[in-house]
Amino acid sequence: MRIDAALRDARSRLSDSPSAALDAELLLCHVLGKPRSYLFTWPERELSTAQQADFTSLLGHRVAGEPVAHLIGEREFFGHLFRVTADTLIPRPDTETLVEKALSLDVPAEARVVDLGTGTGAIGVSLALARPDWHVTLVDLSEAALQVAADNAHRLGAAVTCLQGSWLSPCPGPFDLIVSNPPYIEESDHHLDEGDVRFEPRSALVAPNNGLADLAAITQQAAGKLVAGGWLLLEHGFEQGEAVRTLLTQAGFVQVGTAQDLGGNDRVTFGQHPV
Ligand code: GLN
């Protein structure tokens, strides 16, 4: 079968996926070991019998709902390819908003930065690569996730420190910048039964108290580990902006505000520890 015909077939098999064309392309690239440009440069190339069988098998898993990132073992985030396993959250484009906001802040040239609940390391490693003079620490409660993060940092050439533990508890501090994309989904949220999240670790997604418990815990701890003038940046759900701004204000943060993601939704709330 030719590449263009294989993609056409795959798109129709994946018609339930909101990203059928992209899914098909990423899976076929994985089978061929080629970049996406190859598919459109060589549409008439024939797949070998083995390649066709591999592609058919991957499509079967995808039709059953498995995330593309798990099937190919990686996901692009902030221009870098991160290894992804079932032990980590799959990096989201929304989270790039947090990285961009962090890079826009006025912090020292050799800022001490920590990414709490780092998962694949997507946030912290992207920051370390963009600002090689920053001292970036990655923290996760999950040993398995932390290994994925350390591996991603190593493969992408980022010098980071990895610490296992709950939020700021393993960190002596102080920090100039604390960032986190913690669990923030309510247990009863119907999104948990749809799409990729069904295959991601619940511990990375769900938090008690309307999804606010971890956001509140981090805010409390951060107030004690930031330098005067240091910043806290938290990703949260699109309806949690006001609640998170209140958490930060009550904990004494100033310059509190919320940045919107590419979809225009409240996504990242930030505040500065008073000078
Ligand atoms: N934004 C993710 C989602 O809605 C959740 C990420 C998180 O809980 N930290 O699927």
Side-chain angles (χ1 to χ4, degrees):
M1 185 185 269
R2 288 165 47 132
I3 283 178
D4 52 3
L7 286 174
R8 207 164 37 242
D9 269 19
R11 279 196 299 272
S12 69
R13 278 194 67 188
L14 295 173
S15 55
D16 283 346
S17 163
S19 49
L22 179 63
D23 292 359
E25 289 160 20
L26 291 174
L27 293 174
L28 189 53
C29 288
H30 180 69
V31 167
L32 300 176
K34 302 283 187 197
R36 256 164 92 204
S37 56
Y38 183 92
L39 304 179
F40 308 104
T41 314
W42 307 107
E44 74 285 1
R45 286 270 159 98
E46 294 282 335
L47 272 61
S48 71
T49 314
Q51 287 168 338
Q52 213 162 304
D54 286 351
F55 189 45
T56 303
S57 156
L58 285 174
L59 284 174
H61 286 281
R62 181 62 188 139
V63 168
E66 285 183 49
V68 173
H70 286 177
L71 296 173
I72 67 177
E74 62 188 22
R75 170 57 46 94
E76 189 181 324
F77 179 84
F78 217 72
H80 312 294
L81 269 184
F82 286 85
R83 189 164 76 84
V84 173
T85 73
D87 294 311
T88 63
L89 200 71
I90 300 166
R92 313 277 204 271
D94 291 342
T95 305
E96 294 182 345
T97 302
L98 190 154
V99 175
E100 275 161 7
K101 180 67 195 172
L103 293 173
S104 77
L105 294 171
D106 187 18
V107 292
E110 297 196 14
R112 294 151 294 180
V113 180
V114 63
D115 174 13
L116 303 175
T118 191
T120 59
I123 298 171
V125 170
S126 296
L127 292 176
L129 291 170
R131 296 282 186 274
D133 290 339
W134 285 8
H135 300 282
V136 177
T137 301
L138 310 179
V139 174
D140 210 289
L141 187 58
S142 156
E143 175 98 53
L146 201 59
Q147 264 169 29
V148 175
D151 179 54
N152 278 322
H154 179 72
R155 284 181 319 111
L156 292 166
V160 297
T161 304
C162 295
L163 297 176
Q164 195 200 348
S166 171
W167 308 132
L168 282 159
S169 62
C171 305
F175 293 102
D176 300 290
L177 173 58
I178 296 174
V179 297
S180 184
N181 173 19
Y184 54 69
I185 300 178
E186 270 186 77
E187 186 76 62
S188 60
D189 192 319
H190 64 91
H191 288 112
L192 293 166
D193 305 319
E194 297 164 13
D196 287 4
V197 290
R198 292 170 297 165
F199 297 86
E200 295 178 287
R202 282 283 150 131
S203 60
L205 293 164
V206 173
N209 188 15
N210 300 323
L212 292 169
D214 290 305
L215 290 158
I218 292 169
T219 304
Q220 284 303 327
Q221 294 179 24
K225 297 246 166 129
L226 280 168
V227 298
W231 289 90
L232 171 65
L233 262 67
L234 294 172
E235 179 172 327
H236 52 72
F238 72 104
E239 292 170 316
Q240 293 172 328
E242 193 181 337
V244 179
R245 286 192 298 277
T246 303
L247 286 173
L248 265 67
T249 305
Q250 284 174 351
F253 284 88
V254 295
Q255 311 276 18
V256 173
T258 298
Q260 280 78 39
D261 61 24
L262 291 172
N265 294 309
D266 277 1
R267 187 59 64 192
V268 176
T269 289
F270 46 87
Q272 191 174 28
H273 199 46
V275 182

